[in-house]
Amino acid sequence: LMERDEVVAALDVLVGRWQGRGLGEYPTIDPFEYREDLEVMSVEPGLHHYVQRTWRLTAEGETRSHVETGFMSVDEDGVVSVFNAQGPDRVEVLRGHASLLDGLLVVELLSQHIAGDERMIRSWRRLEVEPGELAYTMGMATTAMPGGSSHLAARLIRGS
Protein backbone atom coordinates (compact mmCIF):
# COMPACT_ATOMS: atom_id res chain seq x y z
CA LEU A 1 0.00 0.00 0.00
CA MET A 2 1.05 3.58 -0.64
CA GLU A 3 2.11 5.95 2.12
CA ARG A 4 -0.13 8.95 2.85
CA ASP A 5 2.12 11.48 1.08
CA GLU A 6 2.26 9.27 -2.02
CA VAL A 7 -1.56 8.96 -2.08
CA VAL A 8 -2.00 12.73 -1.59
CA ALA A 9 0.36 13.45 -4.49
CA ALA A 10 -1.20 10.79 -6.73
CA LEU A 11 -4.76 12.07 -6.19
CA ASP A 12 -3.77 15.53 -7.41
CA VAL A 13 -4.03 14.14 -10.95
CA LEU A 14 -7.82 14.27 -10.47
CA VAL A 15 -7.89 18.07 -10.15
CA GLY A 16 -9.57 19.64 -13.16
CA ARG A 17 -12.63 19.21 -15.33
CA TRP A 18 -13.52 15.87 -16.89
CA GLN A 19 -16.19 15.11 -19.49
CA GLY A 20 -17.36 11.98 -21.19
CA ARG A 21 -19.99 9.31 -21.57
CA GLY A 22 -21.05 6.21 -19.76
CA LEU A 23 -23.38 3.25 -19.78
CA GLY A 24 -25.77 2.34 -17.00
CA GLU A 25 -27.33 -1.02 -16.33
CA TYR A 26 -28.85 -3.02 -13.52
CA PRO A 27 -30.93 -6.18 -13.59
CA THR A 28 -34.04 -4.25 -12.49
CA ILE A 29 -33.85 -1.41 -15.08
CA ASP A 30 -33.43 -0.88 -18.80
CA PRO A 31 -29.84 -0.06 -19.90
CA PHE A 32 -29.15 3.61 -20.60
CA GLU A 33 -26.43 5.94 -21.89
CA TYR A 34 -25.39 9.14 -20.15
CA ARG A 35 -23.14 12.17 -20.50
CA GLU A 36 -21.10 13.31 -17.51
CA ASP A 37 -19.35 16.48 -16.38
CA LEU A 38 -17.04 16.15 -13.37
CA GLU A 39 -15.10 18.95 -11.72
CA VAL A 40 -12.51 18.18 -9.02
CA MET A 41 -11.00 21.01 -6.97
CA SER A 42 -8.14 20.87 -4.46
CA VAL A 43 -9.14 22.32 -1.09
CA GLU A 44 -5.84 21.55 0.64
CA PRO A 45 -3.30 18.71 0.45
CA GLY A 46 -5.20 15.47 0.93
CA LEU A 47 -8.67 17.03 0.51
CA HIS A 48 -10.53 17.45 -2.78
CA HIS A 49 -14.07 18.68 -3.45
CA TYR A 50 -15.97 17.43 -6.49
CA VAL A 51 -19.20 18.15 -8.32
CA GLN A 52 -20.52 15.57 -10.78
CA ARG A 53 -23.51 16.05 -13.09
CA THR A 54 -25.04 13.59 -15.53
CA TRP A 55 -27.59 13.77 -18.31
CA ARG A 56 -29.41 10.72 -19.64
CA LEU A 57 -29.11 10.36 -23.42
CA THR A 58 -32.13 9.23 -25.43
CA ALA A 59 -33.26 9.37 -29.05
CA GLU A 60 -35.25 12.49 -28.09
CA GLY A 61 -32.23 14.28 -26.59
CA GLU A 62 -30.86 14.51 -23.09
CA THR A 63 -32.47 15.03 -19.70
CA ARG A 64 -30.83 15.86 -16.37
CA SER A 65 -30.29 12.64 -14.47
CA HIS A 66 -28.05 12.86 -11.43
CA VAL A 67 -26.09 15.35 -9.35
CA GLU A 68 -23.48 14.35 -6.81
CA THR A 69 -21.11 16.45 -4.73
CA GLY A 70 -18.69 15.61 -2.00
CA PHE A 71 -15.19 15.39 -0.67
CA MET A 72 -12.33 12.94 -1.15
CA SER A 73 -9.80 12.85 1.67
CA VAL A 74 -6.73 10.87 2.68
CA ASP A 75 -6.24 9.92 6.33
CA GLU A 76 -2.91 9.48 8.16
CA ASP A 77 -2.75 5.78 7.15
CA GLY A 78 -3.21 6.58 3.44
CA VAL A 79 -6.84 5.39 3.40
CA VAL A 80 -8.98 7.24 0.86
CA SER A 81 -12.46 8.33 1.97
CA VAL A 82 -15.27 9.78 -0.13
CA PHE A 83 -18.13 11.60 1.58
CA ASN A 84 -20.90 12.44 -0.89
CA ALA A 85 -24.46 13.64 -1.26
CA GLN A 86 -26.36 12.34 -4.28
CA GLY A 87 -29.22 14.60 -5.21
CA PRO A 88 -31.72 15.22 -2.45
CA ASP A 89 -32.02 11.71 -1.06
CA ARG A 90 -28.80 9.73 -0.59
CA VAL A 91 -25.61 10.23 1.37
CA GLU A 92 -22.70 7.80 1.26
CA VAL A 93 -19.35 7.31 2.93
CA LEU A 94 -16.93 5.10 1.01
CA ARG A 95 -13.42 4.05 2.01
CA GLY A 96 -10.62 2.29 0.23
CA HIS A 97 -7.10 2.43 -1.11
CA ALA A 98 -5.14 3.94 -3.96
CA SER A 99 -2.32 2.27 -5.85
CA LEU A 100 -0.06 3.10 -8.77
CA LEU A 101 0.36 0.39 -11.39
CA ASP A 102 2.75 1.32 -14.21
CA GLY A 103 1.64 4.97 -14.14
CA LEU A 104 -2.05 4.10 -13.76
CA LEU A 105 -3.69 5.40 -10.58
CA VAL A 106 -6.27 2.92 -9.27
CA VAL A 107 -8.65 3.86 -6.45
CA GLU A 108 -10.94 1.14 -5.07
CA LEU A 109 -13.71 2.15 -2.67
CA LEU A 110 -16.40 0.29 -0.72
CA SER A 111 -19.34 1.92 1.05
CA GLN A 112 -19.18 2.10 4.84
CA HIS A 113 -22.41 4.04 5.44
CA ILE A 114 -25.44 4.82 3.27
CA ALA A 115 -28.32 7.00 4.45
CA GLY A 116 -31.52 8.33 2.92
CA ASP A 117 -32.27 5.46 0.51
CA GLU A 118 -33.62 2.31 2.14
CA ARG A 119 -33.19 0.34 -1.11
CA MET A 120 -29.38 0.58 -0.93
CA ILE A 121 -27.38 -2.10 0.90
CA ARG A 122 -23.84 -1.27 -0.29
CA SER A 123 -21.92 0.18 -3.22
CA TRP A 124 -18.42 0.02 -4.60
CA ARG A 125 -16.40 2.10 -7.05
CA ARG A 126 -13.17 1.68 -8.99
CA LEU A 127 -11.43 4.63 -10.61
CA GLU A 128 -8.55 4.27 -13.06
CA VAL A 129 -6.72 7.46 -13.94
CA GLU A 130 -3.96 7.96 -16.45
CA PRO A 131 -2.80 11.25 -17.95
CA GLY A 132 -5.84 12.92 -19.51
CA GLU A 133 -8.25 10.02 -19.01
CA LEU A 134 -10.41 8.81 -16.11
CA ALA A 135 -12.42 5.58 -16.26
CA TYR A 136 -14.67 4.30 -13.52
CA THR A 137 -17.07 1.52 -12.67
CA MET A 138 -19.69 1.51 -9.96
CA GLY A 139 -21.67 -1.41 -8.59
CA MET A 140 -24.32 -1.71 -5.94
CA ALA A 141 -26.38 -4.14 -3.91
CA THR A 142 -30.00 -3.24 -3.27
CA THR A 143 -32.95 -4.84 -1.53
CA ALA A 144 -34.06 -6.05 -5.00
CA MET A 145 -30.57 -7.46 -5.79
CA PRO A 146 -28.89 -8.26 -2.43
CA GLY A 147 -25.98 -10.00 -4.18
CA GLY A 148 -25.17 -6.82 -6.10
CA SER A 149 -24.44 -6.09 -9.72
CA SER A 150 -22.63 -3.63 -11.97
CA HIS A 151 -24.44 -0.33 -12.42
CA LEU A 152 -22.24 2.28 -14.16
CA ALA A 153 -19.17 2.40 -16.38
CA ALA A 154 -17.80 5.61 -17.89
CA ARG A 155 -14.75 7.04 -19.58
CA LEU A 156 -14.00 10.74 -19.13
CA ILE A 157 -11.42 12.94 -20.84
CA ARG A 158 -9.76 15.92 -19.17
CA GLY A 159 -11.49 19.04 -20.47
CA SER A 160 -10.55 22.68 -20.54
mmCIF file with all atom_site columns, all heavy atoms in Angstrom, residues 27-47:
data_model
loop_
_atom_site.group_PDB
_atom_site.id
_atom_site.type_symbol
_atom_site.label_atom_id
_atom_site.label_alt_id
_atom_site.label_comp_id
_atom_site.label_asym_id
_atom_site.label_entity_id
_atom_site.label_seq_id
_atom_site.pdbx_PDB_ins_code
_atom_site.Cartn_x
_atom_site.Cartn_y
_atom_site.Cartn_z
_atom_site.occupancy
_atom_site.B_iso_or_equiv
_atom_site.pdbx_formal_charge
_atom_site.auth_seq_id
_atom_site.auth_comp_id
_atom_site.auth_asym_id
_atom_site.auth_atom_id
_atom_site.pdbx_PDB_model_num
ATOM 1   N N   . PRO A 1 27 ? -29.938 -5.173 -13.213 1.00 0.00 ? 27 PRO A N   1
ATOM 2   C CA  . PRO A 1 27 ? -30.934 -6.183 -13.588 1.00 0.00 ? 27 PRO A CA  1
ATOM 3   C C   . PRO A 1 27 ? -32.393 -5.722 -13.480 1.00 0.00 ? 27 PRO A C   1
ATOM 4   O O   . PRO A 1 27 ? -33.255 -6.280 -14.145 1.00 0.00 ? 27 PRO A O   1
ATOM 5   C CB  . PRO A 1 27 ? -30.652 -7.323 -12.600 1.00 0.00 ? 27 PRO A CB  1
ATOM 6   C CG  . PRO A 1 27 ? -29.197 -7.166 -12.276 1.00 0.00 ? 27 PRO A CG  1
ATOM 7   C CD  . PRO A 1 27 ? -28.968 -5.681 -12.254 1.00 0.00 ? 27 PRO A CD  1
ATOM 8   N N   . THR A 1 28 ? -32.660 -4.692 -12.691 1.00 0.00 ? 28 THR A N   1
ATOM 9   C CA  . THR A 1 28 ? -34.044 -4.254 -12.492 1.00 0.00 ? 28 THR A CA  1
ATOM 10  C C   . THR A 1 28 ? -34.438 -3.052 -13.351 1.00 0.00 ? 28 THR A C   1
ATOM 11  O O   . THR A 1 28 ? -35.559 -2.555 -13.225 1.00 0.00 ? 28 THR A O   1
ATOM 12  C CB  . THR A 1 28 ? -34.273 -3.902 -11.004 1.00 0.00 ? 28 THR A CB  1
ATOM 13  O OG1 . THR A 1 28 ? -33.344 -2.877 -10.633 1.00 0.00 ? 28 THR A OG1 1
ATOM 14  C CG2 . THR A 1 28 ? -34.072 -5.124 -10.114 1.00 0.00 ? 28 THR A CG2 1
ATOM 15  N N   . ILE A 1 29 ? -33.533 -2.570 -14.229 1.00 0.00 ? 29 ILE A N   1
ATOM 16  C CA  . ILE A 1 29 ? -33.853 -1.408 -15.078 1.00 0.00 ? 29 ILE A CA  1
ATOM 17  C C   . ILE A 1 29 ? -33.389 -1.652 -16.507 1.00 0.00 ? 29 ILE A C   1
ATOM 18  O O   . ILE A 1 29 ? -32.574 -2.548 -16.773 1.00 0.00 ? 29 ILE A O   1
ATOM 19  C CB  . ILE A 1 29 ? -33.191 -0.113 -14.542 1.00 0.00 ? 29 ILE A CB  1
ATOM 20  C CG1 . ILE A 1 29 ? -31.656 -0.228 -14.579 1.00 0.00 ? 29 ILE A CG1 1
ATOM 21  C CG2 . ILE A 1 29 ? -33.695 0.223  -13.148 1.00 0.00 ? 29 ILE A CG2 1
ATOM 22  C CD1 . ILE A 1 29 ? -30.918 1.055  -14.244 1.00 0.00 ? 29 ILE A CD1 1
ATOM 23  N N   . ASP A 1 30 ? -33.892 -0.833 -17.420 1.00 0.00 ? 30 ASP A N   1
ATOM 24  C CA  . ASP A 1 30 ? -33.427 -0.879 -18.803 1.00 0.00 ? 30 ASP A CA  1
ATOM 25  C C   . ASP A 1 30 ? -32.065 -0.198 -18.898 1.00 0.00 ? 30 ASP A C   1
ATOM 26  O O   . ASP A 1 30 ? -31.842 0.836  -18.243 1.00 0.00 ? 30 ASP A O   1
ATOM 27  C CB  . ASP A 1 30 ? -34.413 -0.156 -19.728 1.00 0.00 ? 30 ASP A CB  1
ATOM 28  C CG  . ASP A 1 30 ? -35.725 -0.898 -19.870 1.00 0.00 ? 30 ASP A CG  1
ATOM 29  O OD1 . ASP A 1 30 ? -35.724 -2.147 -19.765 1.00 0.00 ? 30 ASP A OD1 1
ATOM 30  O OD2 . ASP A 1 30 ? -36.756 -0.216 -20.082 1.00 0.00 ? 30 ASP A OD2 1
ATOM 31  N N   . PRO A 1 31 ? -31.143 -0.711 -19.720 1.00 0.00 ? 31 PRO A N   1
ATOM 32  C CA  . PRO A 1 31 ? -29.841 -0.062 -19.901 1.00 0.00 ? 31 PRO A CA  1
ATOM 33  C C   . PRO A 1 31 ? -30.029 1.359  -20.442 1.00 0.00 ? 31 PRO A C   1
ATOM 34  O O   . PRO A 1 31 ? -31.013 1.650  -21.125 1.00 0.00 ? 31 PRO A O   1
ATOM 35  C CB  . PRO A 1 31 ? -29.132 -0.944 -20.930 1.00 0.00 ? 31 PRO A CB  1
ATOM 36  C CG  . PRO A 1 31 ? -29.837 -2.253 -20.871 1.00 0.00 ? 31 PRO A CG  1
ATOM 37  C CD  . PRO A 1 31 ? -31.255 -1.942 -20.497 1.00 0.00 ? 31 PRO A CD  1
ATOM 38  N N   . PHE A 1 32 ? -29.067 2.228  -20.140 1.00 0.00 ? 32 PHE A N   1
ATOM 39  C CA  . PHE A 1 32 ? -29.147 3.612  -20.605 1.00 0.00 ? 32 PHE A CA  1
ATOM 40  C C   . PHE A 1 32 ? -27.748 4.158  -20.830 1.00 0.00 ? 32 PHE A C   1
ATOM 41  O O   . PHE A 1 32 ? -26.770 3.652  -20.307 1.00 0.00 ? 32 PHE A O   1
ATOM 42  C CB  . PHE A 1 32 ? -29.914 4.489  -19.599 1.00 0.00 ? 32 PHE A CB  1
ATOM 43  C CG  . PHE A 1 32 ? -29.286 4.547  -18.226 1.00 0.00 ? 32 PHE A CG  1
ATOM 44  C CD1 . PHE A 1 32 ? -28.386 5.553  -17.893 1.00 0.00 ? 32 PHE A CD1 1
ATOM 45  C CD2 . PHE A 1 32 ? -29.597 3.594  -17.267 1.00 0.00 ? 32 PHE A CD2 1
ATOM 46  C CE1 . PHE A 1 32 ? -27.811 5.613  -16.629 1.00 0.00 ? 32 PHE A CE1 1
ATOM 47  C CE2 . PHE A 1 32 ? -29.032 3.647  -15.988 1.00 0.00 ? 32 PHE A CE2 1
ATOM 48  C CZ  . PHE A 1 32 ? -28.135 4.651  -15.675 1.00 0.00 ? 32 PHE A CZ  1
ATOM 49  N N   . GLU A 1 33 ? -27.685 5.225  -21.653 1.00 0.00 ? 33 GLU A N   1
ATOM 50  C CA  . GLU A 1 33 ? -26.434 5.941  -21.888 1.00 0.00 ? 33 GLU A CA  1
ATOM 51  C C   . GLU A 1 33 ? -26.537 7.294  -21.203 1.00 0.00 ? 33 GLU A C   1
ATOM 52  O O   . GLU A 1 33 ? -27.627 7.843  -21.059 1.00 0.00 ? 33 GLU A O   1
ATOM 53  C CB  . GLU A 1 33 ? -26.213 6.158  -23.378 1.00 0.00 ? 33 GLU A CB  1
ATOM 54  C CG  . GLU A 1 33 ? -25.948 4.879  -24.142 1.00 0.00 ? 33 GLU A CG  1
ATOM 55  C CD  . GLU A 1 33 ? -25.670 5.172  -25.610 1.00 0.00 ? 33 GLU A CD  1
ATOM 56  O OE1 . GLU A 1 33 ? -24.773 6.001  -25.888 1.00 0.00 ? 33 GLU A OE1 1
ATOM 57  O OE2 . GLU A 1 33 ? -26.356 4.571  -26.441 1.00 0.00 ? 33 GLU A OE2 1
ATOM 58  N N   . TYR A 1 34 ? -25.386 7.833  -20.783 1.00 0.00 ? 34 TYR A N   1
ATOM 59  C CA  . TYR A 1 34 ? -25.392 9.143  -20.148 1.00 0.00 ? 34 TYR A CA  1
ATOM 60  C C   . TYR A 1 34 ? -24.142 9.925  -20.496 1.00 0.00 ? 34 TYR A C   1
ATOM 61  O O   . TYR A 1 34 ? -23.128 9.368  -20.907 1.00 0.00 ? 34 TYR A O   1
ATOM 62  C CB  . TYR A 1 34 ? -25.573 9.030  -18.629 1.00 0.00 ? 34 TYR A CB  1
ATOM 63  C CG  . TYR A 1 34 ? -24.469 8.315  -17.887 1.00 0.00 ? 34 TYR A CG  1
ATOM 64  C CD1 . TYR A 1 34 ? -23.427 9.021  -17.289 1.00 0.00 ? 34 TYR A CD1 1
ATOM 65  C CD2 . TYR A 1 34 ? -24.471 6.922  -17.753 1.00 0.00 ? 34 TYR A CD2 1
ATOM 66  C CE1 . TYR A 1 34 ? -22.428 8.370  -16.584 1.00 0.00 ? 34 TYR A CE1 1
ATOM 67  C CE2 . TYR A 1 34 ? -23.476 6.266  -17.048 1.00 0.00 ? 34 TYR A CE2 1
ATOM 68  C CZ  . TYR A 1 34 ? -22.456 6.993  -16.471 1.00 0.00 ? 34 TYR A CZ  1
ATOM 69  O OH  . TYR A 1 34 ? -21.463 6.350  -15.784 1.00 0.00 ? 34 TYR A OH  1
ATOM 70  N N   . ARG A 1 35 ? -24.260 11.245 -20.337 1.00 0.00 ? 35 ARG A N   1
ATOM 71  C CA  . ARG A 1 35 ? -23.142 12.167 -20.503 1.00 0.00 ? 35 ARG A CA  1
ATOM 72  C C   . ARG A 1 35 ? -22.810 12.704 -19.117 1.00 0.00 ? 35 ARG A C   1
ATOM 73  O O   . ARG A 1 35 ? -23.708 12.955 -18.318 1.00 0.00 ? 35 ARG A O   1
ATOM 74  C CB  . ARG A 1 35 ? -23.535 13.318 -21.427 1.00 0.00 ? 35 ARG A CB  1
ATOM 75  C CG  . ARG A 1 35 ? -22.436 14.344 -21.628 1.00 0.00 ? 35 ARG A CG  1
ATOM 76  C CD  . ARG A 1 35 ? -22.841 15.388 -22.675 1.00 0.00 ? 35 ARG A CD  1
ATOM 77  N NE  . ARG A 1 35 ? -23.937 16.247 -22.253 1.00 0.00 ? 35 ARG A NE  1
ATOM 78  C CZ  . ARG A 1 35 ? -23.807 17.359 -21.541 1.00 0.00 ? 35 ARG A CZ  1
ATOM 79  N NH1 . ARG A 1 35 ? -22.606 17.751 -21.121 1.00 0.00 ? 35 ARG A NH1 1
ATOM 80  N NH2 . ARG A 1 35 ? -24.865 18.093 -21.231 1.00 0.00 ? 35 ARG A NH2 1
ATOM 81  N N   . GLU A 1 36 ? -21.519 12.883 -18.839 1.00 0.00 ? 36 GLU A N   1
ATOM 82  C CA  . GLU A 1 36 ? -21.099 13.311 -17.510 1.00 0.00 ? 36 GLU A CA  1
ATOM 83  C C   . GLU A 1 36 ? -20.135 14.486 -17.574 1.00 0.00 ? 36 GLU A C   1
ATOM 84  O O   . GLU A 1 36 ? -19.297 14.563 -18.472 1.00 0.00 ? 36 GLU A O   1
ATOM 85  C CB  . GLU A 1 36 ? -20.429 12.150 -16.777 1.00 0.00 ? 36 GLU A CB  1
ATOM 86  C CG  . GLU A 1 36 ? -19.960 12.506 -15.390 1.00 0.00 ? 36 GLU A CG  1
ATOM 87  C CD  . GLU A 1 36 ? -19.564 11.296 -14.577 1.00 0.00 ? 36 GLU A CD  1
ATOM 88  O OE1 . GLU A 1 36 ? -20.076 10.195 -14.823 1.00 0.00 ? 36 GLU A OE1 1
ATOM 89  O OE2 . GLU A 1 36 ? -18.724 11.462 -13.688 1.00 0.00 ? 36 GLU A OE2 1
ATOM 90  N N   . ASP A 1 37 ? -20.263 15.364 -16.594 1.00 0.00 ? 37 ASP A N   1
ATOM 91  C CA  . ASP A 1 37 ? -19.350 16.477 -16.385 1.00 0.00 ? 37 ASP A CA  1
ATOM 92  C C   . ASP A 1 37 ? -18.897 16.390 -14.932 1.00 0.00 ? 37 ASP A C   1
ATOM 93  O O   . ASP A 1 37 ? -19.731 16.377 -14.026 1.00 0.00 ? 37 ASP A O   1
ATOM 94  C CB  . ASP A 1 37 ? -20.083 17.802 -16.641 1.00 0.00 ? 37 ASP A CB  1
ATOM 95  C CG  . ASP A 1 37 ? -19.156 18.987 -16.493 1.00 0.00 ? 37 ASP A CG  1
ATOM 96  O OD1 . ASP A 1 37 ? -18.990 19.481 -15.358 1.00 0.00 ? 37 ASP A OD1 1
ATOM 97  O OD2 . ASP A 1 37 ? -18.602 19.413 -17.515 1.00 0.00 ? 37 ASP A OD2 1
ATOM 98  N N   . LEU A 1 38 ? -17.609 16.303 -14.712 1.00 0.00 ? 38 LEU A N   1
ATOM 99  C CA  . LEU A 1 38 ? -17.041 16.155 -13.373 1.00 0.00 ? 38 LEU A CA  1
ATOM 100 C C   . LEU A 1 38 ? -15.988 17.234 -13.171 1.00 0.00 ? 38 LEU A C   1
ATOM 101 O O   . LEU A 1 38 ? -15.092 17.399 -14.001 1.00 0.00 ? 38 LEU A O   1
ATOM 102 C CB  . LEU A 1 38 ? -16.399 14.773 -13.224 1.00 0.00 ? 38 LEU A CB  1
ATOM 103 C CG  . LEU A 1 38 ? -15.565 14.516 -11.972 1.00 0.00 ? 38 LEU A CG  1
ATOM 104 C CD1 . LEU A 1 38 ? -16.437 14.508 -10.725 1.00 0.00 ? 38 LEU A CD1 1
ATOM 105 C CD2 . LEU A 1 38 ? -14.809 13.198 -12.108 1.00 0.00 ? 38 LEU A CD2 1
ATOM 106 N N   . GLU A 1 39 ? -16.111 17.965 -12.066 1.00 0.00 ? 39 GLU A N   1
ATOM 107 C CA  . GLU A 1 39 ? -15.096 18.948 -11.724 1.00 0.00 ? 39 GLU A CA  1
ATOM 108 C C   . GLU A 1 39 ? -14.536 18.610 -10.354 1.00 0.00 ? 39 GLU A C   1
ATOM 109 O O   . GLU A 1 39 ? -15.285 18.436 -9.390  1.00 0.00 ? 39 GLU A O   1
ATOM 110 C CB  . GLU A 1 39 ? -15.670 20.360 -11.716 1.00 0.00 ? 39 GLU A CB  1
ATOM 111 C CG  . GLU A 1 39 ? -14.600 21.404 -11.521 1.00 0.00 ? 39 GLU A CG  1
ATOM 112 C CD  . GLU A 1 39 ? -15.108 22.820 -11.687 1.00 0.00 ? 39 GLU A CD  1
ATOM 113 O OE1 . GLU A 1 39 ? -16.310 23.025 -11.906 1.00 0.00 ? 39 GLU A OE1 1
ATOM 114 O OE2 . GLU A 1 39 ? -14.262 23.733 -11.578 1.00 0.00 ? 39 GLU A OE2 1
ATOM 115 N N   . VAL A 1 40 ? -13.202 18.505 -10.276 1.00 0.00 ? 40 VAL A N   1
ATOM 116 C CA  . VAL A 1 40 ? -12.509 18.184 -9.024  1.00 0.00 ? 40 VAL A CA  1
ATOM 117 C C   . VAL A 1 40 ? -11.611 19.363 -8.673  1.00 0.00 ? 40 VAL A C   1
ATOM 118 O O   . VAL A 1 40 ? -10.813 19.818 -9.503  1.00 0.00 ? 40 VAL A O   1
ATOM 119 C CB  . VAL A 1 40 ? -11.672 16.898 -9.151  1.00 0.00 ? 40 VAL A CB  1
ATOM 120 C CG1 . VAL A 1 40 ? -10.970 16.591 -7.836  1.00 0.00 ? 40 VAL A CG1 1
ATOM 121 C CG2 . VAL A 1 40 ? -12.532 15.730 -9.608  1.00 0.00 ? 40 VAL A CG2 1
ATOM 122 N N   . MET A 1 41 ? -11.767 19.866 -7.440  1.00 0.00 ? 41 MET A N   1
ATOM 123 C CA  . MET A 1 41 ? -11.001 21.005 -6.974  1.00 0.00 ? 41 MET A CA  1
ATOM 124 C C   . MET A 1 41 ? -10.200 20.618 -5.737  1.00 0.00 ? 41 MET A C   1
ATOM 125 O O   . MET A 1 41 ? -10.708 19.902 -4.879  1.00 0.00 ? 41 MET A O   1
ATOM 126 C CB  . MET A 1 41 ? -11.946 22.161 -6.621  1.00 0.00 ? 41 MET A CB  1
ATOM 127 C CG  . MET A 1 41 ? -12.727 22.683 -7.824  1.00 0.00 ? 41 MET A CG  1
ATOM 128 S SD  . MET A 1 41 ? -14.457 23.118 -7.419  1.00 0.00 ? 41 MET A SD  1
ATOM 129 C CE  . MET A 1 41 ? -15.219 21.513 -7.294  1.00 0.00 ? 41 MET A CE  1
ATOM 130 N N   . SER A 1 42 ? -8.967  21.109 -5.642  1.00 0.00 ? 42 SER A N   1
ATOM 131 C CA  . SER A 1 42 ? -8.143  20.872 -4.464  1.00 0.00 ? 42 SER A CA  1
ATOM 132 C C   . SER A 1 42 ? -8.502  21.909 -3.406  1.00 0.00 ? 42 SER A C   1
ATOM 133 O O   . SER A 1 42 ? -8.503  23.111 -3.674  1.00 0.00 ? 42 SER A O   1
ATOM 134 C CB  . SER A 1 42 ? -6.664  20.982 -4.816  1.00 0.00 ? 42 SER A CB  1
ATOM 135 O OG  . SER A 1 42 ? -5.877  20.786 -3.664  1.00 0.00 ? 42 SER A OG  1
ATOM 136 N N   . VAL A 1 43 ? -8.833  21.435 -2.208  1.00 0.00 ? 43 VAL A N   1
ATOM 137 C CA  . VAL A 1 43 ? -9.139  22.325 -1.090  1.00 0.00 ? 43 VAL A CA  1
ATOM 138 C C   . VAL A 1 43 ? -7.867  22.578 -0.288  1.00 0.00 ? 43 VAL A C   1
ATOM 139 O O   . VAL A 1 43 ? -7.558  23.702 0.089   1.00 0.00 ? 43 VAL A O   1
ATOM 140 C CB  . VAL A 1 43 ? -10.239 21.719 -0.194  1.00 0.00 ? 43 VAL A CB  1
ATOM 141 C CG1 . VAL A 1 43 ? -10.506 22.584 1.022   1.00 0.00 ? 43 VAL A CG1 1
ATOM 142 C CG2 . VAL A 1 43 ? -11.511 21.483 -0.996  1.00 0.00 ? 43 VAL A CG2 1
ATOM 143 N N   . GLU A 1 44 ? -7.129  21.511 -0.054  1.00 0.00 ? 44 GLU A N   1
ATOM 144 C CA  . GLU A 1 44 ? -5.838  21.547 0.643   1.00 0.00 ? 44 GLU A CA  1
ATOM 145 C C   . GLU A 1 44 ? -5.192  20.198 0.383   1.00 0.00 ? 44 GLU A C   1
ATOM 146 O O   . GLU A 1 44 ? -5.851  19.281 -0.108  1.00 0.00 ? 44 GLU A O   1
ATOM 147 C CB  . GLU A 1 44 ? -6.029  21.791 2.142   1.00 0.00 ? 44 GLU A CB  1
ATOM 148 C CG  . GLU A 1 44 ? -6.835  20.718 2.833   1.00 0.00 ? 44 GLU A CG  1
ATOM 149 C CD  . GLU A 1 44 ? -7.122  21.028 4.294   1.00 0.00 ? 44 GLU A CD  1
ATOM 150 O OE1 . GLU A 1 44 ? -7.550  22.145 4.608   1.00 0.00 ? 44 GLU A OE1 1
ATOM 151 O OE2 . GLU A 1 44 ? -6.907  20.127 5.108   1.00 0.00 ? 44 GLU A OE2 1
ATOM 152 N N   . PRO A 1 45 ? -3.918  20.018 0.691   1.00 0.00 ? 45 PRO A N   1
ATOM 153 C CA  . PRO A 1 45 ? -3.296  18.710 0.446   1.00 0.00 ? 45 PRO A CA  1
ATOM 154 C C   . PRO A 1 45 ? -4.075  17.590 1.146   1.00 0.00 ? 45 PRO A C   1
ATOM 155 O O   . PRO A 1 45 ? -4.374  17.676 2.339   1.00 0.00 ? 45 PRO A O   1
ATOM 156 C CB  . PRO A 1 45 ? -1.894  18.859 1.032   1.00 0.00 ? 45 PRO A CB  1
ATOM 157 C CG  . PRO A 1 45 ? -1.613  20.334 0.919   1.00 0.00 ? 45 PRO A CG  1
ATOM 158 C CD  . PRO A 1 45 ? -2.946  20.998 1.194   1.00 0.00 ? 45 PRO A CD  1
ATOM 159 N N   . GLY A 1 46 ? -4.470  16.609 0.374   1.00 0.00 ? 46 GLY A N   1
ATOM 160 C CA  . GLY A 1 46 ? -5.201  15.471 0.925   1.00 0.00 ? 46 GLY A CA  1
ATOM 161 C C   . GLY A 1 46 ? -6.698  15.668 1.021   1.00 0.00 ? 46 GLY A C   1
ATOM 162 O O   . GLY A 1 46 ? -7.403  14.810 1.545   1.00 0.00 ? 46 GLY A O   1
ATOM 163 N N   . LEU A 1 47 ? -7.221  16.788 0.484   1.00 0.00 ? 47 LEU A N   1
ATOM 164 C CA  . LEU A 1 47 ? -8.669  17.033 0.510   1.00 0.00 ? 47 LEU A CA  1
ATOM 165 C C   . LEU A 1 47 ? -9.103  17.660 -0.809  1.00 0.00 ? 47 LEU A C   1
ATOM 166 O O   . LEU A 1 47 ? -8.625  18.728 -1.186  1.00 0.00 ? 47 LEU A O   1
ATOM 167 C CB  . LEU A 1 47 ? -9.047  17.950 1.669   1.00 0.00 ? 47 LEU A CB  1
ATOM 168 C CG  . LEU A 1 47 ? -10.545 18.274 1.808   1.00 0.00 ? 47 LEU A CG  1
ATOM 169 C CD1 . LEU A 1 47 ? -11.343 17.001 2.102   1.00 0.00 ? 47 LEU A CD1 1
ATOM 170 C CD2 . LEU A 1 47 ? -10.773 19.301 2.896   1.00 0.00 ? 47 LEU A CD2 1
#
